[in-house]
Amino acid sequence: MSGHSKWHNIQGRKSAQDSKRGKIFQKISRDLYQAAKTGGADPDGNAQLRLVMEKARAANMPKDVVKRALDKATGAGGQKFEEITYEGYGPGGTAIMVAALTDNKNRTASAIRSAFTHHGGALGASGSVAFMFNRRGYIVILRDGLDADEDTMLMDALDAGADDMNTTDDAFEIYTDPTQLAAVRDALQEKGFDLDTAEITMIPENVTKVPSDKAKQYVNLIDELSDNDDVSDVYEAAEVADEDLAE
């Protein structure tokens, strides 16, 4: 079983962020862009895009916001976006990778460097922390209302072609080879499972606990990076103890 739980890391801060409707739309917009960029902007031929568009409808995301995200992916309107990855260290020396989608590299680099600096971290050179992460396919199936225990879910995931699974109180996290993500996703959907997430992500080989006295500073750094409109995702090789964030 995978020892790292991306879901657990995210859920520790998710409620406060998701209380902002705009943050939900921002995340879905990024997912729409990534799906359309990878598999095309036609949902009929792009299962990943269909999955994200279902999320957009469930969140009552305005059609014009959806269209803007797809236009970015196709280059409509003349805007050109680049995907850039930044690497750095958070408080306590924890490894962080930041995936960005930007039409202005100078603006984005400046904002990300400032975030690291203001919160006790440092932006590193290319390759400084990337070796600590592995590129994996990542699928999340929520357990709420799901009639499947851990053993059953694991067997279904392995039968679908998955490599590994991690279980939390709220979700099953399924890991795949990146090249097999689409096949595993489709197989699980054919079995009747509703997927909350299906994406390519970066999983750390090892997770470092953030020192207690650096926990809030670390979370503030991750929040500022995540709140940046140019940032697509933040990958962490760190874990914060819940008790270290208690008031």
Side-chain angles (χ1 to χ4, degrees):
M1 296 295 174
S2 176
H4 173 74
S5 174
K6 180 178 178 181
W7 179 260
H8 177 76
N9 265 16
I10 292 171
Q11 289 307 105
R13 301 182 291 272
K14 187 176 177 64
S15 341
Q17 289 185 351
D18 278 2
S19 63
K20 307 172 187 176
R21 192 163 181 254
K23 288 302 297 176
I24 300 174
F25 290 169
Q26 181 180 330
K27 169 60 178 167
I28 294 174
S29 291
R30 293 168 184 163
D31 291 345
L32 285 168
Y33 173 89
Q34 295 291 348
K37 190 73 173 176
T38 303
D42 179 8
D44 290 337
N46 185 340
Q48 177 64 19
L49 182 59
R50 287 200 303 274
L51 179 66
V52 182
M53 292 187 78
E54 288 170 8
K55 282 188 181 182
R57 283 192 290 270
N60 294 317
M61 189 171 179
K63 290 182 179 179
D64 63 322
V65 179
V66 172
K67 184 177 183 300
R68 279 200 300 272
L70 297 180
D71 284 349
K72 284 184 181 181
T74 58
Q79 283 183 295
K80 293 183 179 180
F81 288 81
E82 292 184 70
E83 296 180 51
I84 305 173
T85 301
Y86 300 90
E87 304 174 40
Y89 299 91
T94 49
I96 299 170
M97 291 182 67
V98 182
L101 175 67
T102 180
D103 59 349
N104 186 322
K105 292 190 292 185
N106 291 335
R107 177 194 67 220
T108 306
S110 177
I112 290 175
R113 183 179 294 107
S114 176
F116 274 99
T117 302
H118 288 167
H119 298 291
L123 193 61
S126 177
S128 57
V129 303
F131 68 94
M132 301 181 191
F133 294 81
N134 294 313
R135 191 167 179 265
R136 303 290 302 276
Y138 178 67
I139 294 170
V140 174
I141 297 176
L142 301 182
R143 301 185 69 179
D144 185 29
L146 183 66
D147 185 21
D149 59 21
E150 182 174 1
D151 290 340
T152 301
M153 188 69 248
L154 177 60
M155 290 305 299
D156 283 338
L158 294 177
D159 286 345
D163 295 334
D164 198 4
M165 189 181 84
N166 188 74
T167 303
T168 71
D169 290 341
D170 301 311
F172 294 116
E173 297 173 287
I174 298 166
Y175 298 90
T176 79
D177 183 283
T179 63
Q180 295 301 307
L181 173 65
V184 175
R185 175 200 64 210
D186 293 348
L188 289 171
Q189 287 181 319
E190 286 175 9
K191 287 176 179 285
F193 292 108
D194 290 327
L195 311 186
D196 178 77
T197 300
E199 64 184 15
I200 301 293
T201 190
M202 300 298 288
I203 301 296
E205 291 187 355
N206 297 290
V207 176
T208 302
K209 184 181 182 300
V210 178
S212 299
D213 62 336
K214 303 287 187 183
K216 291 184 179 179
Q217 189 178 32
Y218 175 84
V219 169
N220 287 338
L221 168 59
I222 299 300
D223 284 349
E224 182 169 335
L225 291 171
S226 300
D227 283 342
N228 187 306
D229 288 343
D230 294 335
V231 171
S232 303
D233 214 336
V234 179
Y235 308 115
E236 312 168 55
E239 192 166 64
V240 178
D242 294 339
E243 55 270 24
D244 291 339
L245 297 179
E247 292 292 334

